[in-house]
């Protein structure tokens, strides 16, 4: 059986890998938030056809680039079982896209949409699976390998996850444009009148629910800002980022005050709307992070928390969210912010608390970063 598997993998590769190499050298085409919004505001059959034809050419280029990188990782990471599995997902998706015939009419477009929907589902667990691969690597490594030696892996993961955000945004946007009853002010994934205050409120409630479940209590979250202010953005992206920041703050405060008689201080969120940026600040009094630890908070190789896909675990529970996560929340949130031209910065006062500044570009003009 194993020999058959290897044989399959080899036939899977030769001609396919040559094609992957060819496509991996082609130029990617970035799209801006504004363009997605303007193009998607008229989801006519003609526009959906144009969109599908674009994706039919663009997705294989992006997927091929990642598949090639997955084969050339340092320290033997490419050979780890979890990474091989991810590589296979990328090769399968590349093959699906390349074997799909030219898209000529609405029927072709509908079929293509079903196919890319399936590709998106196939890749659902890429992040925890890659985290598992890194864990498998760390287990086999000597302790004396310093984190800066793993810089190359960190940079690869930044490129890899940034590209994944783009691929999922393009597929999700195209699929969502088929929704016959879109919610008001929504163009695919983009909400043209999104209230950052409202998203921050929902994300905070979700984070508090998890904190309550894990600790039995949760600090309050106070939110300040103009409740009427709206701007175009992707609510799911913002929710993910604010949720992550608030969850970290709640955990820090909760653990600092767990045995204290003092009143637990609230976590504060301030939403400011500037001309260029919308900035969301999440402030806590959770004791802060030592300055020596700050560079580590954005690495993928730092967390001691258990991966939801750890070897002994059943893959089915990958959706369970824990307070600690598996150390990918901050670096991935920063990528989501940067994807549409924003950023995430963390400023800490050891002995007091931490301020996270989430900058979102209000203009929506910047092109996708294309690693």
């Amino acid at each position: 059986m194993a020999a058959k598997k290897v044989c399959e993998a080899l036939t899977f590769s030769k001609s396919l890998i040559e094609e992957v190499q060819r496509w991996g050298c082609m130029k990617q085409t970035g799209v801006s938030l504004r363009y997605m919004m303007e193009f998607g505001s008229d989801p006519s059959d003609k526009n959906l056809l144009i969109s599908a034809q674009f994706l039919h050419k663009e997705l294989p280029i992006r997927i091929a680039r990642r598949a090639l990188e997955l084969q050339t990782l340092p320290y033997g990471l490419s050979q780890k079982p979890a990474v091989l599995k991810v590589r296979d997902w990328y090769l399968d998706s590349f093959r699906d896209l390349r074997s799909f015939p030219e898209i000529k009419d609405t029927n072709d477009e509908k079929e293509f949409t079903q196919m890319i929907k399936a590709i998106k589902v196939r890749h659902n667990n890429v992040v925890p699976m890659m985290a598992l691969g890194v864990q498998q690597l760390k287990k086999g490594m000597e302790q004396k390998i310093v984190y800066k030696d793993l810089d190359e892996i960190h940079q690869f993961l930044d490129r890899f996850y940034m590209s994944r955000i783009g691929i999922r945004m393009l597929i999700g946007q195209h699929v969502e444009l088929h929704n016959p009853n879109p919610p008001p002010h929504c163009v695919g994934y983009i909400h043209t009148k999104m209230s950052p205050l409202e998203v921050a409120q929902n994300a905070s409630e979700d984070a508090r629910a998890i904190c309550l479940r894990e600790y039995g209590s949760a600090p309050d979250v106070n939110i300040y800002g103009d409740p009427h202010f709206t701007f175009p953005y992707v609510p799911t992206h913002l929710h993910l980022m604010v949720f992550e920041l608030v969850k970290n703050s709640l955990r820090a405060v909760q653990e600092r005050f767990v045995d204290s008689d003092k009143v637990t201080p609230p976590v504060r969120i301030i939403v400011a709307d500037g001309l260029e940026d919308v900035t969301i600040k999440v402030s806590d009094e959770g004791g802060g992070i030592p300055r020596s630890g700050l560079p580590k908070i954005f690495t993928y190789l730092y967390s001691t928390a258990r991966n939801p896909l750890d070897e002994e675990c059943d893959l089915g529970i990958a959706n369970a969210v824990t307070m600690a996560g598996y150390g990918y929340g901050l670096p991935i949130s920063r990528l989501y912010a940067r994807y549409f031209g924003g950023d995430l910065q963390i400023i800490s006062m050891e002995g007091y608390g931490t301020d996270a500044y989430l900058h979102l570009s209000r203009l929506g003009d910047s092109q996708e970063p294309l690693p």
Side-chain angles (χ1 to χ4, degrees):
M1 182 65 198
K4 181 168 180 276
K5 259 276 182 269
V6 171
C7 204
E8 272 175 8
L10 289 171
T11 52
F12 185 47
S13 42
K14 186 80 175 100
S15 60
L16 187 73
I17 295 301
E18 282 171 10
E19 197 175 2
V20 167
Q21 278 163 340
R22 207 173 71 246
W23 280 76
C25 297
M26 295 182 194
K27 191 175 176 302
Q28 306 173 93
T29 308
V31 188
S32 69
L33 179 69
R34 174 170 295 183
Y35 180 78
M36 286 188 214
M37 197 164 71
E38 286 169 359
F39 183 85
S41 59
D42 171 26
S44 60
D45 284 352
K46 178 172 171 273
N47 275 352
L48 290 171
L49 192 62
I50 293 167
S51 170
Q53 287 162 344
F54 167 70
L55 293 180
H56 193 206
K57 183 167 186 320
E58 181 64 18
L59 292 174
I61 298 175
R62 296 194 185 194
I63 286 172
R65 283 182 173 235
R66 303 288 72 91
L68 290 174
E69 261 202 307
L70 281 166
Q71 290 171 323
T72 54
L73 300 177
Y75 304 109
L77 182 57
S78 291
Q79 297 314 309
K80 296 296 169 213
V83 178
L84 288 169
K85 193 175 200 119
V86 172
R87 188 210 60 182
D88 287 352
W89 290 340
Y90 273 75
L91 290 175
D92 280 339
S93 297
F94 178 82
R95 192 175 52 189
D96 288 352
L97 284 157
R98 289 297 302 128
S99 55
F100 196 92
E102 196 188 338
I103 303 167
K104 296 197 177 94
D105 56 32
T106 300
N107 282 340
D108 295 349
E109 187 276 324
K110 286 199 167 73
E111 264 180 61
F112 177 77
T113 301
Q114 289 312 310
M115 192 251 309
I116 58 173
K117 212 170 171 179
I119 287 177
K120 190 164 178 274
V121 171
R122 174 187 289 143
H123 291 248
N124 275 351
N125 276 334
V126 161
V127 176
M129 194 55 83
M130 283 302 289
L132 186 56
V134 172
Q135 261 179 13
Q136 290 166 344
L137 177 71
K138 276 167 69 180
K139 265 183 203 158
M141 270 182 156
E142 311 132 45
Q143 285 305 302
K144 64 172 184 279
I145 288 195
V146 202
Y147 279 111
K148 64 173 185 293
D149 293 339
L150 297 177
D151 220 24
E152 220 179 317
I153 289 178
H154 174 75
Q155 286 167 8
F156 155 73
L157 288 170
D158 257 354
R159 288 193 302 275
F160 185 76
Y161 292 137
M162 180 65 94
S163 173
R164 179 175 186 268
I165 290 169
I167 290 167
R168 294 180 83 73
M169 180 69 200
L170 291 181
I171 294 177
Q173 183 68 2
H174 180 82
V175 169
E176 192 52 39
L177 288 177
H178 285 77
N179 184 348
N181 307 305
H185 311 299
C186 282
V187 175
Y189 272 4
I190 302 161
H191 194 305
T192 58
K193 288 188 162 60
M194 183 195 75
S195 158
L197 211 77
E198 194 183 314
V199 175
Q201 234 148 4
N202 294 335
S204 301
E205 280 164 22
D206 289 355
R208 282 193 83 241
I210 283 172
C211 189
L212 279 164
R213 194 180 72 205
E214 296 228 348
Y215 295 102
S217 65
D220 286 338
V221 178
N222 298 339
I223 305 180
Y224 308 90
D226 176 0
H228 302 297
F229 168 66
T230 65
F231 77 115
Y233 204 71
V234 180
T236 49
H237 288 192
L238 182 58
H239 187 284
L240 178 146
M241 295 184 279
V242 175
F243 170 78
E244 190 56 44
L245 296 173
V246 173
K247 186 180 67 147
N248 288 347
S249 288
L250 292 173
R251 185 167 94 238
V253 172
Q254 196 63 32
E255 292 190 352
R256 188 183 188 200
F257 288 87
V258 66
D259 297 320
S260 164
D261 301 333
K262 293 181 184 158
V263 177
T264 310
V267 170
R268 285 189 297 277
I269 300 179
I270 299 162
V271 180
D273 47 295
L275 290 174
E276 280 183 27
D277 279 354
V278 174
T279 304
I280 297 174
K281 179 168 83 160
V282 179
S283 298
D284 69 60
E285 293 173 37
I289 301 159
R291 213 152 41 101
S292 61
L294 273 174
K296 290 182 186 166
I297 62 174
F298 284 112
T299 77
Y300 300 97
L301 308 149
Y302 178 50
S303 182
T304 50
R306 201 174 59 97
N307 184 317
L309 294 193
D310 215 341
E311 273 109 326
E312 299 80 42
C313 285
D314 169 30
L315 287 186
I317 62 148
N319 298 328
V321 182
T322 64
M323 280 304 274
Y326 40 96
Y328 280 33
L330 279 178
I332 284 190
S333 294
R334 184 167 68 174
L335 294 179
Y336 272 99
R338 288 177 173 173
Y339 177 68
F340 283 128
D343 209 352
L344 171 61
Q345 290 166 313
I346 307 284
I347 312 285
S348 196
M349 291 173 74
E350 190 186 6
Y352 180 73
T354 302
D355 287 348
Y357 291 86
L358 177 60
H359 302 281
L360 309 172
S361 171
R362 188 171 172 174
L363 308 171
D365 281 338
S366 68
Q367 293 288 327
E368 296 175 273
L370 294 173

